Amino acid sequence: MPSSPQHADYFFYILLLLKKMISDSEEIAGIYRELSKFPSPLKAYIRPQITLKPKEKFSIIDTEWSQRDLERAERVKIFREYLVFHDENSILCTGPSGNCTELQGELLSRDSPSATLKAVIRERTNKKQEKQQYLEIWSKTAKEKSINLTALDKHGKVYEDDLFGCLEWSYSETCILYVAEKKRPKAESFFQSKPEHSVNGDEDDNRAKDGQKPEKGCQFVYWEDWGEALTNKSTPVLCVLNIWSGNVSVLHGIPEHISPGEAIWAPEDAGIIFVGRWHVPWRLGLKYCTNRKSALYCVDLTGNEYLEISSGINSVHSPRLSPDQHHLIFLEGGSVKTHHQCYGLSLYNLDKKVTSTVVRILDYPATDGFTGIYSSALARKCWATDSQRILIDTTQRSSKDLFVVNIATGTVTSLTAGPDTASWTLLDVCQDLIVVSCSSPNCPPNLKVGFLPAAGHEQEMIWMALGEDKPLHGIKWKILTFTPHFEHENPKFNGLQFEGILLLPGQEQNAKPPLVVSPHGGPNSVFVTCWMLMPAVFCRLGYSVLLVNYRGSCGFGQDSIRSLLGNIGSQDVKDVQFAVECVLKEGVVDSEKVLLIGGSHGGFIGCHLIGQYPGFYKAFATRNPVINLASKLGTTDIPDHTMVQAGFDYAPDQLPTPPVLATLLSKSPITYISQATTPVLIMLGEKDKRVHPSQGLELHRALKARGIPVRLLWYPDDNHSLSNVDTEADVFMNIAVWFNFALNRTQ
């Protein structure tokens, strides 16, 4: 059957696009390769100070970085060492020590409290192509121990993630604490044959080294996991290894309804403090979701006595013990059920066994401009030497700042105040020497150091760079503040503002640049003024980029987050469109060349925009977009998110009613897709458990059926973030060519 003229135009469009890809790819790839080489810091460790002579000291800072290797299609971990010369409280000079080296196979590493030993969890592939995990103990001169954890068969794989994983030395430096997957029972087929020489089944016992017979018919039993990016993690257990004997003990007796993680040693090695996350009635996705019901526990090493430190009502994370071992701080969520929100800073007095609030949850920014704490995790070491002050990096509107909090007074003081609106991340603090990462949209990450001033003088903080921190040419940026029109005000939360980060090409151009618009996903995440590869490359290609933090973004107070509940598909969409129109009125970009990018909830907003404002956007590129809330509900690892953002309470034991499903559908962009005319590029990760690929396929079919130009890219080895190095590069290349082609057709 011959194709219709409408579909013939569609295939002709794709043919021309492929030709365009060949002609444009070399220039785009060159700029992408150039800017993708900048590494990002992962962690830093300040070694104990060394005294040269009175008032002359130096410190060694070990750092780990992640860098994209396009040829190997992977992120490599590299090691850098820096020297910092100083007196008692001021930096004299700094500099790198030697060249970078690559770290291979390291999953986790941690220096002992005295810095004389180092523990490393390393993964290697043996001659049989089987992955083996080792725990290694290194001294300053040699590898002292190498323990094959896989061969010990006490547990499954060690957790290396930021949500459960840990690697903690005991204060005595005799034991190491870590989290691993619980050992699963062996299983075999119902029809597994016994060895010919088996007598009365005795050989079955011989085949089970641990004394347990394999469970017949259980090899395909489903093991529930923790969702997106945590698919191999189901039942974590706390493990303690004695480094001298090599024995591993798995701590038993933890309540059946919780999964332990983020573990640290209690004072004097008397027990273990950990976060216990509820997994009943089932495990909801945990990645990017800091709202999961949880509590802090302290357990003795026998597993017999438990103390619940926090209330267990909301969510907690990041327990950090003070240097004097008298106080424990942690972040605690409120009653809002969104996946990210403003958090209170709680303090537990271990002597009096009393909990108090140091920094409360802020509904609206304070008079001094402080908007609250939004950290997904505190730095592992965040206490000042006096055990009275804590260092916290947190989003503040569209930037990320560093603060010091006095636990006695609750006073919050910025250590990064000033005209520079770059974003800061705390990496380590030792004897009040602080090392941070600092970056901005036109400056890749660099490290800075400084001494924390005495209490009451924190505003006198002085920073010194460990390396070059010069901005790159060809990129300018600024923060824009938007006040919604009165008709778009939220009647329950009026007076709220939102922001955007506008990047502009720095070089002179004959014509105004096209504008790429990008609302973030989440929806309660945020864009901050840090280094971001994709916007930077677009600027170097001659595009301007607008990153929109619509109402509902974190960093603007809890009321801003609450305001979006029940209003997705409306308030967020109107905010983005209003921000775009404000930028166009400034006259700095080409109003006829507006393009759109969005992933996840950003894709949800983008699909609404091309349907509600047909023809306004010349091209759209979307990654794992949310298309239909009703159909998403049964396929996502976070069904509670779908219900709560749509304005409903979530109850795991209740099915959605027809009116609820109708409302979900009415808020979905698929209902507007018949009005869309914008060419759409769709990119899907096959392993996505957050937004199932069926969502993107639903969009692809709807567009294709209407003859709207659409192209679908399918990444079989990637998940929701599409962050594998080869995927990430291919995604950008295709988006850039898609946009170039769309603009050439409109000229």
Side-chain angles (χ1 to χ4, degrees), residues 256-544:
E256 291 294 325
H257 68 281
I258 62 172
S259 289
E262 295 188 75
I264 59 175
W265 290 93
E268 300 179 352
D269 299 338
I272 295 170
I273 297 170
F274 66 92
V275 175
R277 294 184 173 89
W278 268 247
H279 54 234
V280 292
W282 61 69
R283 291 162 178 79
L284 291 166
L286 191 59
K287 187 72 171 177
Y288 314 120
C289 303
T290 54
N291 67 323
R292 297 293 172 232
K293 186 179 179 182
S294 48
L296 278 184
Y297 293 87
C298 185
V299 57
D300 65 19
L301 294 181
T302 65
N304 294 323
E305 295 185 15
Y306 284 84
L307 173 65
E308 187 172 329
I309 294 173
S310 62
S311 65
I313 297 174
N314 297 310
S315 63
V316 300
H317 59 279
S318 301
R320 303 291 185 261
L321 191 64
S322 63
D324 64 9
Q325 300 192 356
H326 292 302
H327 298 99
L328 181 76
I329 59 160
F330 56 94
L331 295 176
E332 187 165 11
S335 59
V336 176
K337 302 304 180 183
T338 56
H339 281 179
H340 201 53
Q341 56 184 280
C342 186
Y343 293 91
L345 181 66
S346 297
L347 177 73
Y348 180 74
N349 187 309
L350 283 94
D351 301 321
K352 299 178 180 179
K353 294 182 171 50
V354 174
T355 302
S356 58
T357 299
V358 178
V359 180
R360 64 183 178 85
I361 295 171
L362 293 184
D363 292 330
Y364 197 77
T367 54
D368 60 1
F370 180 65
T371 66
I373 299 174
Y374 303 87
S375 304
S376 57
L378 297 177
R380 180 179 169 272
K381 289 165 61 179
C382 59
W383 282 90
T385 306
D386 58 18
S387 292
Q388 292 297 304
R389 293 179 294 168
I390 301 155
L391 298 164
I392 296 177
D393 57 42
T394 180
T395 299
Q396 297 290 287
R397 301 176 75 92
S398 295
S399 63
K400 189 178 180 184
D401 297 335
L402 180 63
F403 295 89
V404 59
V405 180
N406 189 304
I407 64 171
T409 64
T411 304
V412 180
T413 306
S414 173
L415 296 177
T416 53
D420 184 6
T421 51
S423 287
W424 302 66
T425 300
L426 175 65
L427 298 179
D428 196 24
V429 55
C430 178
Q431 296 171 281
D432 289 344
L433 177 63
I434 306 169
V435 57
V436 298
S437 168
C438 182
S439 72
S440 66
N442 65 349
C443 188
N446 62 89
L447 301 185
K448 294 185 178 183
V449 292
F451 275 101
L452 178 66
H457 297 272
E458 289 91 352
Q459 292 180 335
E460 300 171 13
M461 184 81 200
I462 298 174
W463 296 102
M464 181 176 287
L466 287 179
E468 291 188 4
D469 57 351
K470 295 180 179 179
L472 299 179
H473 74 279
I475 304 173
K476 299 184 297 184
W477 62 275
K478 60 181 177 179
I479 296 175
L480 305 175
T481 301
F482 305 105
T483 302
H485 282 308
F486 69 90
E487 65 267 24
H488 296 157
E489 283 272 19
N490 189 309
K492 294 182 179 179
F493 304 96
N494 51 35
L496 298 176
Q497 294 181 320
F498 65 100
E499 291 183 346
I501 305 170
L502 180 63
L503 287 75
L504 294 164
Q507 64 271 25
E508 293 294 329
Q509 298 187 134
N510 295 328
K512 295 177 182 179
L515 177 64
V516 176
V517 179
S518 179
H520 62 71
N524 307 123
S525 59
V526 65
F527 285 123
V528 296
T529 54
C530 65
W531 172 255
M532 294 167 280
L533 178 59
M534 185 178 289
V537 180
F538 267 122
C539 269
R540 291 287 289 270
L541 288 171
Y543 291 84
S544 57

Side-chain angles (χ1 to χ4, degrees), residues 134-172:
Y134 298 83
L135 197 154
E136 303 168 351
I137 305 298
W138 292 80
S139 67
K140 293 184 180 297
T141 57
K143 183 192 291 186
E144 303 295 335
K145 290 267 187 179
S146 183
I147 301 166
N148 189 331
L149 298 177
T150 306
L152 286 179
D153 198 28
K154 292 292 186 70
H155 52 69
K157 286 195 172 184
V158 175
Y159 282 37
E160 81 292 349
D161 62 276
D162 296 331
L163 298 168
F164 287 106
C166 67
L167 187 65
E168 299 292 332
W169 284 85
S170 62
Y171 295 103
S172 64

